[in-house]
Amino acid sequence: MPKNNMWRQRRVVVPKRTIELIALVAISSTLFLFLHTRELHSRLRKMEVRLQPAEDELFSGKQLFSEGVQTESTQSGNDHYSSLQHVREKYEEADLLDVDGLNNTKEAERLVLFFNRVPKVGSQTFMELLRRLSMRNGFSFNRDRVQKVETIRLIPIEQLQLARVVSSFPEPSVYVKHVCFTNFTKFNLPKPIYINVVRDPIERVISWYYYVRAPWYYVERKQIFPDLPLPDPNWLKKDFETCVLKEDRECHYLEGEIHEGIGDHRRQTLFFCGHSEKCTPFNTVGALERAKLAVEKHYAVVGVLEDVNTTLTVLENYIPRFFRGATQVYHDQTNAFTSINRNFFKPSVSEEVKDIVRRNFTREIEFYQFCKQRLYRQLRALKLTNTDFTMNNRL
């Protein structure tokens, strides 16, 4: 008991005013936090409204029309659009988008368009579109001749020769060729306007697999090159699913592997990475980063086959000298364009097999998504400025 009394006597007595002060500080802090939170909530709501496309952005407009977002066909035959949430997720915060900063057209030193087309991305369709636009918009259309063996990676002297050929065309001109990205400035030659198109890498590799097995493919090539040997019938009959499931050498996609030659177009990144040997190993970080850098630094537009409408809208606004009227020309003759190079001998491939292939295409898929994101950012920037983008009277 004496000990308990001693502790009671030692209790510190807090003055009444101090208690009131502490209570006042606590109330003030609570009120401040409430007001600050409410302000933040209000600002976030405003930002959300800004990012959400309005109806007039999604529907109609002569060039920046709603079809800039890929449509699907319903049972009734009418087009319908993705949800607003899905559209909003495609775009970055509005303040970060700048039309001028997203277009490299202004960096071109000559009015020459260089389309170093990737195989099996609808490049034949875009090539035919350019040919028709050349008559409408008044520019020269040029393409590489068909070759017995297509060489896409060139040694330095061949790169120089290519750059000289492209630079020799009168302005305005277009040149189309299957070849890796070639840096003209490295050879002290004027920089052209670079464009290209990409495709889902799994669908692309499947398309190539059956393209080189199509009967008409060898008939056409045999007519051009009579001495071309015919392939093994067993190889022609081999289907993609069996090739993957049996881990056939042709369908065994290993990271870091280097495999050249016809039948191996697995590396979409190679057409952007360049001619360096560092670009050849399949599905590697180094090749991926080099390809991304080339797109950001050099390419005016990289379209996406799965979203032709957005691709045409961006091309028409970022490179109007060549693509003015592209949307109208394409949609006026949709059937003619969509039937170009279509392979009716390609069977469907199960999602299970596609998933197996996807496991080894991680960086190729990342590059495809990177190009897709950039295209949608370019489209979004156009809609935010609400104006047709023209680099200058010359372009």
Side-chain angles (χ1 to χ4, degrees):
M1 288 298 292
K3 187 178 289 186
N4 289 340
N5 289 335
M6 182 179 70
W7 283 110
R8 284 174 186 169
Q9 291 173 2
R10 290 186 177 181
R11 283 188 305 178
V12 178
V13 179
V14 179
K16 187 177 180 180
R17 283 191 171 183
T18 304
I19 294 173
E20 292 175 350
L21 181 62
I22 294 172
L24 183 61
V25 170
I27 293 170
S28 300
S29 300
T30 304
L31 181 61
F32 172 77
L33 288 172
F34 171 75
L35 293 173
H36 187 61
T37 303
R38 188 173 65 174
E39 182 186 354
L40 283 175
H41 178 72
S42 176
R43 289 170 63 185
L44 285 171
R45 288 294 301 165
K46 287 180 182 177
M47 188 178 296
E48 185 177 2
V49 171
R50 283 174 63 198
L51 284 173
Q52 180 165 316
E55 287 187 13
D56 62 346
E57 278 188 293
L58 289 178
F59 299 93
S60 196
K62 184 175 181 183
Q63 290 186 337
L64 304 179
F65 55 115
S66 58
E67 290 178 345
V69 178
Q70 188 66 36
T71 61
E72 299 174 2
S73 181
T74 61
Q75 291 180 351
S76 63
N78 296 322
D79 288 339
H80 71 278
Y81 295 86
S82 306
S83 66
L84 292 178
Q85 179 64 29
H86 175 68
V87 175
R88 188 169 56 203
E89 287 173 356
K90 287 181 177 179
Y91 306 126
E92 299 196 0
E93 207 281 319
D95 289 339
L96 300 178
L97 297 175
D98 170 34
V99 176
D100 187 66
L102 286 168
N103 190 10
N104 291 322
T105 307
K106 63 183 182 298
E107 304 294 336
E109 296 167 328
R110 290 195 81 235
L111 198 53
V112 175
L113 188 79
F114 186 25
F115 180 17
N116 67 309
R117 63 188 183 115
V118 178
K120 307 314 299 170
V121 298
S123 60
Q124 292 264 19
T125 299
F126 284 95
M127 186 166 63
E128 176 60 19
L129 177 63
L130 277 167
R131 189 188 67 79
R132 298 189 188 195
L133 287 172
S134 69
M135 295 178 280
R136 175 184 176 129
N137 294 336
F139 59 83
S140 172
F141 175 82
N142 309 273
R143 59 161 299 181
D144 190 26
R145 60 183 176 80
V146 179
Q147 299 178 32
K148 189 173 183 179
V149 178
E150 194 88 58
T151 304
I152 59 172
R153 281 185 62 236
L154 309 177
I155 60 175
I157 186 61
E158 292 171 331
Q159 295 174 45
L160 173 60
Q161 291 168 353
L162 171 63
R164 282 176 174 169
V165 168
V166 177
S167 300
S168 69
F169 292 122
E171 300 179 86
S173 290
V174 167
Y175 184 67
V176 185
K177 176 180 172 62
H178 284 311
V179 69
C180 295
F181 166 71
T182 305
N183 189 348
F184 285 34
T185 57
K186 186 173 73 172
F187 302 105
N188 295 316
L189 289 169
K191 183 177 181 178
I193 303 169
Y194 294 97
I195 67 162
N196 216 322
V197 182
V198 293
R199 180 182 185 178
D200 178 289
I202 310 306
E203 298 299 333
R204 179 176 168 272
V205 80
I206 294 171
S207 179
W208 174 260
Y209 182 91
Y210 285 110
Y211 173 71
V212 294
R213 286 171 166 79
W216 49 264
Y217 172 79
Y218 279 99
V219 170
E220 289 180 356
R221 290 186 62 79
K222 193 72 174 172
Q223 289 175 342
I224 301 171
F225 307 109
D227 60 334
L228 193 71
L230 292 174
D232 184 347
N234 292 324
W235 180 82
L236 288 173
K237 292 186 290 184
K238 183 171 57 176
D239 68 278
F240 186 76
E241 290 194 348
T242 301
C243 186
V244 171
L245 294 174
K246 289 189 174 182
E247 296 188 349
D248 188 289
R249 174 69 184 82
E250 186 179 359
C251 305
H252 204 196
Y253 308 105
L254 300 177
E255 183 173 316
E257 187 176 47
I258 299 173
H259 181 52
E260 301 283 358
I262 192 166
D264 181 52
H265 274 285
R266 64 187 72 184
R267 297 163 300 178
Q268 190 164 225
T269 53
L270 184 61
F271 285 82
F272 301 87
C273 180
H275 303 273
S276 169
E277 289 187 2
K278 295 178 181 178
C279 299
T280 56
F282 172 66
N283 201 49
T284 58
V285 174
L288 168 66
E289 294 305 322
R290 281 171 172 258
K292 281 183 179 181
L293 182 62
V295 170
E296 286 283 19
K297 187 176 180 181
H298 298 287
Y299 282 83
V301 178
V302 175
V304 175
L305 177 63
E306 287 80 2
D307 199 341
V308 172
N309 292 323
T310 296
T311 298
L312 293 177
T313 301
V314 173
L315 284 169
E316 198 165 352
N317 283 272
Y318 280 69
I319 320 175
R321 180 61 184 83
F322 293 93
F323 287 96
R324 187 178 294 110
T327 300
Q328 181 185 343
V329 171
Y330 180 85
H331 287 291
D332 282 350
Q333 303 177 53
T334 301
N335 291 334
F337 282 112
T338 54
S339 62
I340 293 175
N341 221 22
R342 177 175 288 183
N343 187 0
F344 296 100
F345 295 92
K346 185 180 78 172
S348 60
V349 176
S350 69
E351 284 300 316
E352 290 77 14
V353 170
K354 288 181 183 179
D355 284 337
I356 293 172
V357 179
R358 284 189 186 105
R359 294 170 196 163
N360 290 342
F361 273 73
T362 52
R363 275 132 196 164
E364 289 291 326
I365 292 171
E366 182 180 339
F367 177 72
Y368 168 71
Q369 294 295 346
F370 167 81
C371 293
K372 207 172 178 182
Q373 265 187 352
R374 182 176 186 257
L375 183 71
Y376 286 130
R377 288 176 66 216
Q378 289 178 314
L379 176 71
R380 179 63 174 170
L382 286 170
K383 289 186 174 183
L384 287 173
T385 58
N386 195 28
T387 182
D388 289 347
F389 182 74
T390 306
M391 292 309 305
N392 51 49
N393 293 332
R394 202 170 74 95
L395 298 179

